[in-house]
Amino acid sequence: MADSPLVLALAEAAAAGDRGEVPVGAVVVRDGVVLARAGNRVLELRDPTAHAEILALRQAATGLGQSRLDGCDLWVSLEPCPMCAAAIALSHIRRLHFGAYDPKGGGVDHGPRIFDQPTCHHRPEVVGGLAEAECAALLKNFFRDRR
Amino acid sequence: MADSPLVLALAEAAAAGDRGEVPVGAVVVRDGVVLARAGNRVLELRDPTAHAEILALRQAATGLGQSRLDGCDLWVSLEPCPMCAAAIALSHIRRLHFGAYDPKGGGVDHGPRIFDQPTCHHRPEVVGGLAEAECAALLKNFFRDRR
């Protein structure tokens, strides 16, 4: 996993945790080039939509000067929530890679299973459960330390 | 409906259509005061997440300096998509009022029915189908004119 964009996503997640945010990080890659990387900034920006994935998708799209990210892949440390999963579909992300599964808050393999809906107009390939132990530990330790 | 925030949402929707965007508008209100109003700006901002609702929620939250909008109501000209519906839940919006139903793209009464999911942590009150004919006509005319 050393060269995987997941390492960058995990670093963004850890940095978010250091800022007191729920530790989630996301990276957008196209043709091996990192186009955007972001961590959760909901509290800092006072923005309920400022999840790592949303920030990374916006950064990549504005950077490319286009509202769709065809051919781009997203790497996230945690299973995206329903808002982020739907944003991934709207962005036309080619492939979604994520770390830990999130049975309580996820929207890909749990909850509304956004990409399985007949009304979902774009379905990325999905590879979930990467470095599951490491990604899950990041969150577990964060919430344990705040108790 | 003259004094309804839906009139403002419709005006934002029409202005979005004039800019070449899918005509959807949204307004955030608390205690009778308009905190934010926005139209769709996906193309202009090169941002796949720049739906009217997301922009209005972000504007209201940053304006209030808090990441949740408890006690605030959202008025939208169209049934929110799954991304926006999930953002509404994350924002703790008290009541959602929307105009036309959207069987193809909606996420409230159609598709993933975000608020009906057991994993949805906040369910706003929902009032849908307001000024249905007028709200639906705005969209129909927009897509007819672009054919």
Side-chain angles (χ1 to χ4, degrees):
Chain A
M1 146 174 163
D3 291 337
S4 158
L6 193 60
V7 175
L8 292 180
L10 271 167
E12 289 290 341
D18 289 344
R19 296 190 301 268
E21 307 272 2
V22 175
V24 182
V27 175
V28 177
V29 176
R30 189 177 67 178
D31 300 330
V33 178
V34 173
L35 298 181
R37 47 189 291 178
N40 186 13
R41 290 188 187 269
V42 165
L43 300 176
E44 177 192 340
L45 300 179
R46 275 86 165 157
D47 176 356
T49 72
H51 286 190
E53 300 94 314
I54 299 286
L55 296 179
L57 293 172
R58 285 169 54 198
Q59 211 183 99
T62 52
L64 290 173
Q66 56 194 50
S67 59
R68 284 186 181 173
L69 297 172
D70 296 279
C72 295
D73 299 334
L74 183 70
W75 296 73
V76 195
S77 58
L78 183 70
E79 179 184 348
C81 80
M83 173 182 73
C84 292
I88 288 164
L90 289 170
S91 304
H92 283 217
I93 284 287
R94 182 179 65 170
R95 197 176 298 127
L96 164 65
H97 304 80
F98 67 84
Y101 288 98
D102 185 2
K104 285 189 189 168
V108 175
D109 281 284
H110 299 92
R113 298 175 183 268
I114 292 292
F115 307 134
D116 296 342
Q117 296 291 333
T119 52
C120 181
H121 299 307
H122 173 84
R123 292 177 181 80
E125 287 176 55
V126 177
V127 185
L130 301 168
E132 171 89 32
E134 193 169 353
C135 289
L138 197 68
L139 277 154
K140 260 183 218 155
N141 296 343
F142 177 80
F143 286 110
R144 183 198 60 206
D145 294 346
R146 292 168 72 89
R147 246 184 242 129
Chain B
M1 129 171 173
D3 291 336
S4 160
L6 193 61
V7 175
L8 292 180
L10 271 167
E12 289 290 341
D18 289 345
R19 295 191 301 267
E21 307 272 1
V22 175
V24 181
V27 176
V28 176
V29 177
R30 190 177 68 177
D31 299 331
V33 178
V34 172
L35 298 182
R37 46 189 292 179
N40 185 13
R41 290 188 188 268
V42 166
L43 300 176
E44 178 193 340
L45 300 179
R46 274 85 168 158
D47 177 356
T49 73
H51 285 191
E53 299 94 315
I54 299 286
L55 296 179
L57 293 172
R58 284 170 53 198
Q59 213 183 97
T62 52
L64 289 173
Q66 56 194 51
S67 60
R68 285 185 179 173
L69 298 171
D70 296 279
C72 296
D73 299 335
L74 183 71
W75 296 74
V76 196
S77 59
L78 183 70
E79 179 185 347
C81 79
M83 172 181 73
C84 293
I88 288 163
L90 289 170
S91 304
H92 283 218
I93 283 287
R94 182 179 64 171
R95 198 177 294 128
L96 164 67
H97 304 81
F98 68 84
Y101 288 98
D102 185 2
K104 284 189 189 167
V108 176
D109 280 285
H110 299 92
R113 298 174 183 268
I114 292 291
F115 306 134
D116 296 342
Q117 296 291 334
T119 52
C120 181
H121 299 306
H122 174 84
R123 294 176 179 79
E125 286 177 55
V126 178
V127 185
L130 300 168
E132 171 89 31
E134 193 171 350
C135 289
L138 197 70
L139 275 154
K140 263 184 216 153
N141 297 343
F142 177 80
F143 286 110
R144 183 198 61 206
D145 295 347
R146 292 170 70 90
R147 245 183 242 130

